[in-house]
Amino acid sequence: KCRTGPLDVVFVIDSSRSVRPFEFETMRRFMMDIIGNLDVGPNATRVGVIQYSSQVQNIFSLKTFFTRADMERAINSIVPLAQGTMTGLAIQYAMNVAFTTQEGARPPHKRIPRIAIIVTDGRPQDRVTEVATQARNAGIEIYAVGIQRADMNSLRAMASPPLEEHVFLVESFELIQQFAKQFQDKLCGVDMCVEREHGCQHSCVSTPGSFYCECNPGYRLNVDGKTCAPIDACADGRHGCQHHCVSVQGSFSCRCRAGYYLSHNKRSCIMIDYCSFGNHSCQHECVSIPNGHYCRCRSGFTLQPDGKSCKATDLCNGVDHGCEFKCVSTEGSYHCMCPEGQQLQADGKSCSKCGAGHVDLVMVIDGSKSVRPQNFELVKQFVNRIVDLLEVSPHGTRVGLVQYSSRVRTEFPLNKYHSADEIKKAVMDVEYMEKGTMTGLALKHMVEHSFSELEGARPLSHNIPRIGLVFTDGRSQDDISEWARRAKESGIVMFAVGVGKAVEEELRAIASEPVEQHFSYSADFTTMTHLVENFSLNICPEEGKGETEIRSPCECEALVQFQTNTVAILQSLTEKNILWACSLAQMTARLEDLEKQIANKK
């Protein structure tokens, strides 16, 4: 067998009509004899076969088969084309297709000889000189084998130099098998690696008439063409290793720094989580670092000398807390406090005195049919007189207004207006609803909506009193007990004002404790002066009387101020708007004088 080294061999076989069937069979045997003496395989010699006449047909390419048995089966199945003789076209196909890397030819840098064996029996019907020159310049070594009627000039035009080693003329197809042995010697030649002192450091590869040196995997051939040097696969910087690249015989591997391990992609590194081992003994938090871990305490704690336990710190002494009065440390935090009678402001640090009359006030007025339009106007004037004496502002008193009859309507919420003038104008624009008296529904609306932070009520933590003032002139058409109870339980101080046919039992159910100080009743709207006389009573128990303090000083101050203002408004409103009520008051005074005189006489 030919042992001179790997080759890329392509047979270019003439199957024109001048080649008779039995003659074509001898060409099959010629190819199989040559292949039988080659060391074929993917890393040894590769073989391809094309046939041509007026066209070119690929039988199998250099990458198709790697065993002689497969190649012989493919050669035996060839059906001759039996047309013209386009030898130039066949050489063009071999150069542009058969000897490409896509079809299985080894890359030029591997220096594997590319050999085309052209077997023809006649004169080409196209030009061969120019295309054969191009093929030889592309590195293809051409052997031209002519049989019987072949044109010698055409063979010489196709073959590589020296012509005496690459041009063969066989007298008949019968002699081609005898020629195969001679051609085999020419093709394989002498094993130059054996016959000469090649000087290759690793291995020598023979080629027809020459040799070249190769290096083992992981090494590259030096410029002298003989010695080898290790390939540094890390040097080109394309390894992608996150930490370290280590060259290993032409390849590389990635390694991580101490305290890290290599991830599944064999490139990136992951820090070892020493805390996950469960033996750190840290009281609060464990923090992993390369080659170990350390303990860390939560905010407000300091790490102790043992490096594991934590102790709470007095944040008030360690930070600029900014508290106006007093800083109180808690576990991991702190908060500010104000002295009794003062409120902590929204900034959580400063304190302020109670603002006189600063409350969240929602007035719920009866707009049922029994009130009548002229009395409803008196109620609106009463509301505006209250507004006149309040310090209305976003940070002072806020006022909301709800009217009800058979349904409930928010005329304006606590956060709608920020000045007394805006509120008074809105009150005068309120339209009388008429219809029924659903006081329970109105209380429900007040609790669920009017005193919500969404509608402007300040949070309970701000200690701003929430006051609900209900005006009604008759019996409620629904149950009031549940929502009256819920209103008081939610921290709303409830005042109930009844006029005319209002039911005392319902007023008492609405009013906060002590009930006597939180509800009033009068026979008609013209005598509203007496409705809120009880408001002037001191809601805050005096010291030393053994009563339980139930309100903060700020809340008491605001409620007392509210009561005082309300009484003054009712008195003024009644005197200016109800003339006949004045006459009634005079008559009442005269009767009182008579009663005193009678009493004195007795």
Side-chain angles (χ1 to χ4, degrees):
K1 294 185 185 300
C2 184
R3 299 292 183 185
T4 57
L7 306 170
D8 285 343
V9 179
V10 174
F11 289 95
V12 183
I13 304 302
D14 181 357
S15 65
S16 60
R17 67 174 61 92
S18 62
V19 180
R20 291 183 288 273
F22 72 90
E23 295 174 337
F24 192 80
E25 291 302 317
T26 60
M27 295 177 68
R28 290 185 208 266
R29 289 194 294 273
F30 168 72
M31 289 187 286
M32 289 189 288
D33 287 343
I34 297 297
I35 293 172
N37 288 288
L38 296 175
D39 183 18
V40 298
N43 298 317
T45 295
R46 299 182 182 183
V47 178
V49 175
I50 61 176
Q51 67 166 335
Y52 74 94
S53 60
S54 298
Q55 59 187 9
V56 180
Q57 182 185 38
N58 180 49
I59 305 303
F60 58 87
S61 63
L62 293 169
K63 65 179 181 180
T64 305
F65 302 121
F66 297 111
T67 66
R68 284 184 292 275
D70 290 335
M71 294 176 185
E72 290 177 359
R73 278 193 293 271
I75 291 172
N76 284 325
S77 65
I78 298 175
V79 177
L81 298 173
Q83 296 175 357
T85 309
M86 303 295 286
T87 309
L89 181 64
I91 297 173
Q92 184 80 35
Y93 181 90
M95 177 177 62
N96 293 341
V97 180
F99 281 110
T100 62
T101 55
Q102 291 84 355
E103 290 297 308
R106 264 70 66 94
H109 72 271
K110 288 187 175 293
R111 301 170 63 180
I112 304 297
R114 296 181 174 183
I115 297 175
I117 301 174
I118 303 173
V119 182
T120 180
D121 80 327
R123 183 189 299 273
Q125 295 176 339
D126 56 355
R127 298 178 181 273
V128 297
T129 303
E130 182 178 352
V131 69
T133 300
Q134 293 174 357
R136 292 193 300 269
N137 291 338
I140 301 173
E141 185 177 1
I142 300 177
Y143 287 87
V145 180
I147 303 176
Q148 199 168 322
R149 299 173 293 275
D151 178 59
M152 178 58 74
N153 291 331
S154 298
L155 297 176
R156 295 172 65 87
M158 292 185 289
S160 295
L163 297 179
E164 62 271 15
E165 295 183 5
H166 293 82
V167 177
F168 304 93
L169 182 61
V170 182
E171 294 180 359
S172 67
F173 281 95
E174 288 80 4
L175 298 176
I176 193 170
Q177 283 183 282
Q178 299 177 16
F179 164 73
K181 178 63 175 67
Q182 299 175 9
F183 183 79
Q184 175 72 29
D185 294 339
K186 289 285 185 181
L187 185 62
C188 292
V190 177
D191 188 344
M192 302 298 290
C193 292
V194 175
E195 298 295 329
R196 293 186 182 182
E197 183 64 35
H198 54 75
C200 296
Q201 181 180 355
H202 284 182
S203 59
C204 175
V205 179
S206 290
T207 61
S210 184
F211 71 91
Y212 63 90
C213 297
E214 275 191 347
C215 295
N216 296 334
Y219 293 83
R220 58 178 175 78
L221 195 64
N222 291 326
V223 292
D224 61 6
K226 296 180 181 293
T227 59
C228 300
I231 297 173
D232 185 359
C234 298
D236 60 7
R238 294 181 295 179
H239 50 78
C241 297
Q242 183 178 353
H243 287 180
H244 304 300
C245 177
V246 180
S247 274
V248 182
Q249 294 185 348
S251 184
F252 68 90
S253 63
C254 297
R255 292 182 185 176
C256 298
R257 295 192 295 268
Y260 294 81
Y261 64 92
L262 200 63
S263 66
H264 294 300
N265 63 17
K266 303 301 181 183
R267 298 287 191 275
S268 58
C269 297
I270 302 173
M271 189 174 71
I272 298 172
D273 185 3
Y274 291 96
C275 293
S276 65
F277 298 162
N279 58 355
H280 52 76
S281 301
C282 297
Q283 182 178 353
H284 283 184
E285 300 172 2
C286 176
V287 181
S288 287
I289 57 174
N291 295 323
H293 72 280
Y294 68 90
C295 296
R296 182 173 62 190
C297 297
R298 295 191 294 270
S299 177
F301 294 81
T302 55
L303 192 65
Q304 298 305 291
D306 62 4
K308 298 179 180 181
S309 57
C310 300
K311 182 179 180 181
T313 60
D314 187 354
L315 291 181
C316 290
N317 293 328
V319 299
D320 184 13
H321 52 76
C323 296
E324 180 179 339
F325 176 68
K326 183 179 181 181
C327 176
V328 179
S329 289
T330 58
E331 184 175 330
S333 183
Y334 70 90
H335 66 272
C336 299
M337 288 185 65
C338 293
E340 185 177 357
Q342 296 188 24
Q343 292 176 290
L344 189 66
Q345 297 302 288
D347 62 3
K349 297 180 179 181
S350 58
C351 303
S352 68
K353 300 285 187 180
C354 300
H358 287 185
V359 297
D360 284 344
L361 170 63
V362 175
M363 288 179 278
V364 183
I365 58 176
D366 187 346
S368 62
K369 186 175 182 180
S370 61
V371 174
R372 298 184 182 180
Q374 63 271 26
N375 291 331
F376 190 74
E377 292 302 315
L378 290 177
V379 174
K380 288 164 60 175
Q381 292 178 39
F382 170 75
V383 170
N384 277 350
R385 285 301 184 90
I386 293 177
V387 173
D388 281 335
L389 297 178
L390 297 175
E391 297 178 13
V392 178
S393 70
H395 300 292
T397 290
R398 299 181 184 180
V399 179
L401 183 64
V402 174
Q403 182 186 175
Y404 73 95
S405 59
S406 298
R407 57 189 178 87
V408 183
R409 182 174 70 205
T410 297
E411 302 296 350
F412 52 85
L414 289 166
N415 59 2
K416 178 69 172 179
Y417 300 113
H418 304 307
S419 69
D421 290 340
E422 290 178 312
I423 293 175
K424 290 167 63 178
K425 182 180 183 305
V427 169
M428 296 311 297
D429 291 340
V430 172
E431 296 182 359
Y432 180 37
M433 294 176 69
E434 296 187 289
K435 298 188 178 179
T437 308
M438 302 293 285
T439 309
L441 184 63
L443 291 171
K444 180 178 185 292
H445 181 88
M446 179 192 70
V447 173
E448 292 185 340
H449 302 286
S450 302
F451 281 107
S452 67
E453 293 184 28
L454 182 64
E455 294 202 1
R458 281 156 293 191
L460 294 172
S461 61
H462 288 190
N463 291 325
I464 303 296
R466 295 181 174 184
I467 298 178
L469 187 57
V470 180
F471 289 87
T472 180
D473 83 324
R475 181 183 293 276
S476 176
Q477 295 173 340
D478 60 352
D479 179 61
I480 67 165
S481 58
E482 178 182 357
W483 287 103
R485 175 180 56 79
R486 290 195 186 186
K488 289 175 281 188
E489 288 177 352
S490 65
I492 303 171
V493 179
M494 296 298 299
F495 289 87
V497 178
V499 182
K501 298 180 180 180
V503 179
E504 181 177 348
E505 181 183 354
E506 292 184 353
L507 297 177
R508 287 180 173 274
I510 294 172
S512 292
E513 296 289 344
V515 174
E516 298 301 330
Q517 297 178 14
H518 292 83
F519 97 98
S520 294
Y521 171 80
S522 185
D524 55 58
F525 284 88
T526 62
T527 59
M528 282 193 297
T529 301
H530 304 289
L531 289 178
V532 288
E533 287 181 352
N534 288 335
F535 292 172
S536 62
L537 296 176
N538 187 2
I539 298 175
C540 299
E542 296 180 3
E543 295 183 5
K545 291 188 177 182
E547 298 185 25
T548 303
E549 185 72 30
I550 59 172
R551 304 188 189 280
S552 70
C554 294
E555 185 175 2
C556 293
E557 183 180 343
L559 292 174
V560 171
Q561 185 66 40
F562 172 74
Q563 289 177 328
T564 303
N565 293 342
T566 303
V567 171
I569 294 167
L570 286 172
Q571 290 175 342
S572 175
L573 182 65
T574 303
E575 292 171 358
K576 292 183 178 180
N577 292 284
I578 314 299
L579 295 177
W580 66 266
C582 294
S583 299
L584 180 61
Q586 293 174 359
M587 292 175 65
T588 302
R590 291 178 63 185
L591 287 173
E592 291 177 352
D593 288 340
L594 288 173
E595 290 176 354
K596 291 179 181 179
Q597 293 175 11
I598 292 171
N600 291 333
K601 288 180 179 181
K602 290 182 179 180

